[in-house]
Structure formats: C-alpha cells, structure tokens
Amino acid sequence: MAGKRIRSRNSHNSIPVTNLSNRTAPQTANVTNTAGPRVPDDLLSLTKEQLKAECRRRGQKTTGTKVELLQRLGHKMMGSVKKNTSSTANGNVGTQNIVKSTAGSTNRSKKQKEREERERLVLWKQPIKTLEYFSREVLVLLYTYGKKVLEFKKSAFFVVISVLGLTGIANVNGPHQYVVQYVYQKLKWCLYWIGLGILSSVGLGTGLHTFILYLGPHIAKVTLAAYECGSLNFPEPPYPDEIVCPSDENVGAFVVTILSIMSKVRLEAMCWGAGTALGELPPYFMARAARLSGLDPDEDDELREFEELQRKESSKEQLTLMERGKLMVEHIVQKVGFFGILACASIPNPLFDLAGITCGHFLVPFWTFFGATLIGKAFIKMHIQKLFVIIAFNETLITAALAWLSVVPIVGTKLQEPFKGFLDNQKSKLHRHKGAHMQESGSILSSLFEKFVAAMILYFIVSIVNSLAQSYHKRIHQKKTSSKATD
C-alpha cells in the first residue's frame, strides 16, 4: 500500500498516505471519507507523516513536532488535548474528558442551586418551612446523641448514680452543709460563666457577644463599687449576685488598686475565657474530620470559605482586607505552631475561627491546639480585657468623660444628665443594707441596655433556629445524593 493513493470524492483532494499497515480498517475508512479541510477529530487520528503530507498539500512547513503540526493546521490545542496526543489510537479520550467536565459543571451548578435554596431558609423568608426543618433537626440530634450515650452504658450509669448521690448529700442536714453549699455556689457560678463563654464563640448561629453583654458590665460594676466603697471586701452573700458596700468596720480590709480589682474578678473572667476556648473546638473537629474522611468542602460553609481562600491565594487574585487578615492568621498558625496559636488566641481576634479550621485541616494534635487556645484565652487575653475595662471605668476617668461629654454638639448636654443620673443611682444602691432592695428609678440608660440585651439574645435564638433548619436541609440533600450513588 506504500505506493497507492487514497482518493476522496474529488480527486484533487487526494492525500499520499504511507505506513498504514499498523492502522485498523475503521480508522482508514475515516480518513478516506473526509472531504475538504479536516476536522479536529480527523487531525488527531492521523500519524505524523500524514500530518506532514497535509501540511505540504496546504503549502505549509512540514518541520516540527506532532503538536506543532496540529497547531499549524489550525487545531486549537487545550491542556487536556496536549496530554492525549501521545496516544492518538484511543480517539475517545478527549470525548470522555469533555463528558467528565460537563458532568462536573452540572454537579457544581446543582450544588450552587442547593446552597442558594438553603440560604433562603430563614425565619423572615420561609417561617413555616424553617420551623418544620428546625424541629426535625432537633429530633434527629436527640436521637443521634441518645444512641451515642447508650453506647457507653457504664459511663452513663456512673454519671447518673454520681448526680443522685451528690443530690442526696446536698439535701441531708449536717455539719457538712456549709462546705456543700460553698462548693455548690462556686460550681454554679463557674458553670454560669463557662456557659456564657461557650455561647460567645460556639459555631451555632453567629455567637452571642457575652463579654459586651455580661462580663464587661460585671467587671465595670465591681470597679465602680470598689472606688465608691473604698474596699473590695464585699460580703458574701449577696455578692456575687449583688454588690453592697461592707459595713464601716470592714472598710479598708483591702487596698483598692488595679491589681486588687483584677484579682476580685479573676475567677469569673478565667471561667469565661475557658468557655470561649471550648467554643473553638467545633471548627477544629469539623476540619479534622473532613480531612481524614475526605469530606467535600462544599458541604460546609466554613470549609468552603477556607478552600476558596486558599484558591485565591494560589491564583494570586485580588484579596480584601479581611481575606488578607485571615491568610495572615492561617500562615502564623501553620508555620509557628503552638506559639502561633498562642499568639492568635492571646489577643482579641475575630478571625480565630480560621485558626481552628487550619489546625484541624493540617491535623495539628488536639492538645497542642486546645492547650495553646486555653492558655491564650483564659489567662493572657482575659487579663488584657480586664485591665482595659478597669482602666476605662476608673472614677477619675468617668468624671472626666462626663465633663467632656458636654463638648459634643447638639446631643452632648442631653446625654450628660442621663449618664450622671445612672451613675448616681448605681452608687446609691451600693450603700443600702445587705439584703434590702431599692425601688428601681427606671433609668433610660438601664432600660435601653435591657432592651439591647433582649434583642441580642433574640437574634441569637433566631440564628440558631435558622442554622439547625439549614443543617436539616443539607442532611436531606446528602441523603438523596448517597441513595443515588448506591443505586
């Protein structure tokens, strides 16, 4: 066949073909039936000698590699085609890649549609459906965690017996009641602040800013009372539930200094900081489980944000100020390790959630992450925050701030009187007799603060309802996907 010519319908389009002994019949038929300029699939099926012959017929150069000859003949070479030109006998590889790419694009669009549908599942847009999904998710979680508790029957039985035993001891009269009540009050006080710390940084919803709502005002209240009473020897009870100046004989038992005030509120501040450290564990465990199990980052919003941030960094895209801050936290944690986590946890840092995700993604040991987070939040950061609040509510600074408030145009003088009345009311409460209750004067500032706290708590509850409803939406779509995969 070396000397023959294969003709098409027009004889002037004949092409000299050599070395066809290693080609199959269907491929030869495909070549002989081609009329006019060759389409890309035909070009890919030709050998290098055939491509040179086609270049000669078109009056083009015949030198170069097979890829260059294909490009010269007008074939648009993509990255996936370049990889497949070395095995031209398998002409279906390119088609398979196109099908896979189309399927992947369809899958991504489907996930994007599901994500948009999930984001619309909120109380102010779809209240009935949101409440229904929320209720179902609560039932699912109760069932799931109930089964897990039953898997550890011995531990659960021990906990129940211990609680019943301690309850019995607390209710039996005897000389031990003083110690029992003291421990009970301290334990309840610590658990209260730990719970508020967890709510401040837990992954459900948006988090409740309990430092601004609870701990900060508590430290400010103790600071104002210390300077007003000239003592920190508040009687217990009613402190810490209430603050009353001690009687005259107890005044002066403690010297009022910044360090002594910090010591007075250390227990509640450290418990709150420990709670915030516990609240950082969900992002860590989530990212760690995703890395070990190969979970799709699109299944979780925080993981998807983490992956998107890494993609933008690798592709050198334009980053916002917030994204640059997140990347800086990620680099510090990843490169410095324990001390990097400690540094990020030791300062007020709204981006610390990314540190937990980074540590989980790169499989940082649990005690390295949690130990550094606990030390940073419960010891270092809390002392910084306490110091700031105590200095800000120093009596001298408060008096100066009230004087400077009148300088503010229009509203300055109007705000000065309510603030001064609020402070005078708080000071008068400190000098009442222990256990006595004063009639509330209905201060505008205290009323506004109470409404602000109520609004924040309500918003937090709404965010939890929305979050659990969206979790159930995600759950049912994951179930549909897994059932289709098994079919």
Side-chain angles (χ1 to χ4, degrees):
M1 294 180 61
K4 293 183 180 180
R5 300 174 64 87
I6 298 176
R7 297 180 178 272
S8 63
R9 294 180 182 177
N10 298 323
S11 59
H12 64 276
N13 288 332
S14 60
I15 304 173
V17 181
T18 59
N19 299 329
L20 295 180
S21 58
N22 60 342
R23 297 181 57 82
T24 60
Q27 289 171 326
T28 306
N30 188 28
V31 176
T32 57
N33 291 333
T34 304
R38 296 186 181 277
V39 295
D41 288 342
D42 287 319
L43 292 175
L44 286 173
S45 65
L46 297 180
T47 64
K48 187 175 180 180
E49 294 300 325
Q50 290 171 326
L51 291 172
K52 287 183 178 181
E54 181 70 12
C55 288
R56 280 195 295 270
R57 188 185 68 79
R58 298 186 184 186
Q60 296 175 342
K61 294 181 181 180
T62 59
T63 58
T65 63
K66 186 174 181 178
V67 175
E68 292 173 345
L69 292 173
L70 285 168
Q71 290 176 335
R72 197 170 296 149
L73 290 171
H75 189 270
K76 301 295 182 182
M77 300 299 295
M78 304 299 292
S80 58
V81 178
K82 290 180 181 179
K83 296 179 181 177
N84 295 327
T85 51
S86 60
S87 56
T88 56
N90 187 7
N92 294 327
V93 174
T95 306
Q96 292 174 355
N97 288 339
I98 294 173
V99 171
K100 290 180 180 179
S101 176
T102 305
S105 177
T106 305
N107 191 31
R108 284 193 296 271
S109 62
K110 185 179 178 182
K111 287 184 177 180
Q112 179 65 25
K113 185 178 179 180
E114 291 177 2
R115 192 179 303 122
E116 292 174 355
E117 182 182 345
R118 186 163 59 246
E119 290 174 354
R120 291 195 299 269
L121 195 64
V122 290
L123 283 172
W124 50 87
K125 290 183 179 179
Q126 302 179 36
I128 297 176
K129 190 175 182 180
T130 302
L131 290 173
E132 178 189 355
Y133 278 21
F134 164 74
S135 303
R136 293 186 177 185
E137 180 68 10
V138 169
L139 293 176
V140 170
L141 291 176
L142 289 175
Y143 176 75
T144 303
Y145 289 109
K147 285 182 64 177
K148 289 183 178 180
V149 169
L150 292 178
E151 291 176 0
F152 303 94
K153 295 180 180 178
K154 293 182 179 180
S155 300
F157 180 76
F158 175 76
V159 171
V160 172
I161 293 297
S162 300
V163 171
L164 291 176
L166 292 174
T167 303
I169 293 173
N171 292 326
V172 174
N173 294 325
H176 63 283
Q177 278 299 316
Y178 176 78
V179 178
V180 169
Q181 291 302 318
Y182 178 80
V183 172
Y184 173 74
Q185 292 295 333
K186 287 294 182 183
L187 186 62
K188 186 175 72 171
W189 185 243
C190 290
L191 290 177
Y192 172 76
W193 289 109
I194 290 174
L196 288 177
I198 293 174
L199 289 177
S200 181
S201 58
V202 74
L204 287 174
T206 56
L208 186 65
H209 303 289
T210 51
F211 182 85
I212 297 175
L213 299 179
Y214 295 99
L215 184 59
H218 173 73
I219 297 173
K221 189 176 181 180
V222 173
T223 303
L224 291 174
Y227 287 112
E228 174 65 20
C229 301
S231 171
L232 283 167
N233 190 22
F234 305 136
E236 296 190 43
Y239 177 80
D241 299 324
E242 296 175 340
I243 300 178
V244 179
C245 288
S247 56
D248 294 338
E249 61 269 16
N250 292 325
V251 173
F254 291 90
V255 179
V256 178
T257 62
I258 292 178
L259 292 179
S260 62
I261 298 174
M262 291 176 68
S263 177
K264 188 69 175 179
V265 296
R266 180 176 294 127
L267 177 64
E268 41 268 50
M270 290 180 65
C271 288
W272 186 89
T276 61
L278 290 172
E280 300 294 347
L281 293 181
Y284 169 82
F285 284 123
M286 175 194 64
R288 184 181 180 88
R291 178 67 182 272
L292 293 175
S293 61
L295 179 68
D296 187 358
D298 285 340
E299 300 297 337
D300 190 272
D301 295 337
E302 291 181 329
L303 285 177
R304 187 174 68 251
E305 183 184 358
F306 177 73
E307 294 288 340
E308 180 68 15
L309 197 62
Q310 289 191 323
R311 185 193 64 79
K312 285 185 177 182
E313 183 187 20
S314 60
S315 59
K316 306 296 183 182
E317 293 185 20
Q318 185 69 27
L319 299 174
T320 63
L321 181 62
M322 182 66 71
E323 289 173 338
R324 287 197 294 269
K326 291 180 178 180
L327 282 175
M328 183 180 70
V329 172
E330 179 188 340
H331 293 159
I332 292 174
V333 170
Q334 186 180 352
K335 293 179 180 179
V336 186
F338 178 89
F339 293 102
I341 303 169
L342 182 65
C344 292
S346 298
I347 57 175
N349 184 5
L351 307 177
F352 191 78
D353 272 352
L354 190 67
I357 295 176
T358 303
C359 291
H361 180 77
F362 292 105
L363 304 180
V364 174
F366 169 76
W367 285 112
T368 300
F369 169 72
F370 184 65
T373 304
L374 183 64
I375 294 171
K377 286 182 172 291
F379 293 92
I380 302 176
K381 188 180 81 169
M382 281 317 306
H383 280 83
I384 297 173
Q385 290 178 308
K386 282 192 299 180
L387 184 64
F388 174 80
V389 174
I390 292 170
I391 292 175
F393 284 87
N394 182 288
E395 190 174 16
T396 305
L397 290 179
I398 290 293
T399 304
L402 284 174
W404 279 98
L405 195 60
S406 60
V407 180
V408 179
I410 302 174
V411 297
T413 54
K414 295 180 180 180
L415 290 175
Q416 193 176 27
E417 286 301 321
F419 272 104
K420 188 175 180 181
F422 175 77
L423 288 175
D424 291 339
N425 184 38
Q426 295 301 313
K427 289 179 180 180
S428 62
K429 288 181 180 180
L430 297 172
H431 295 285
R432 70 185 184 276
H433 294 292
K434 184 169 62 174
H437 295 280
M438 291 187 63
Q439 186 70 26
E440 294 291 337
S441 60
S443 170
I444 297 176
L445 289 178
S446 60
S447 177
L448 289 176
F449 184 75
E450 288 174 1
K451 289 180 173 58
F452 174 71
V453 172
M456 290 291 294
I457 294 174
L458 179 62
Y459 178 72
F460 180 65
I461 293 173
V462 169
S463 67
I464 290 177
V465 173
N466 293 337
S467 178
L468 291 179
Q470 292 171 4
S471 297
Y472 186 77
H473 179 276
K474 188 187 304 181
R475 186 188 300 275
I476 59 178
H477 280 282
Q478 288 175 349
K479 189 176 181 180
K480 288 179 182 179
T481 304
S482 60
S483 62
K484 288 180 181 179
T486 53
D487 293 342

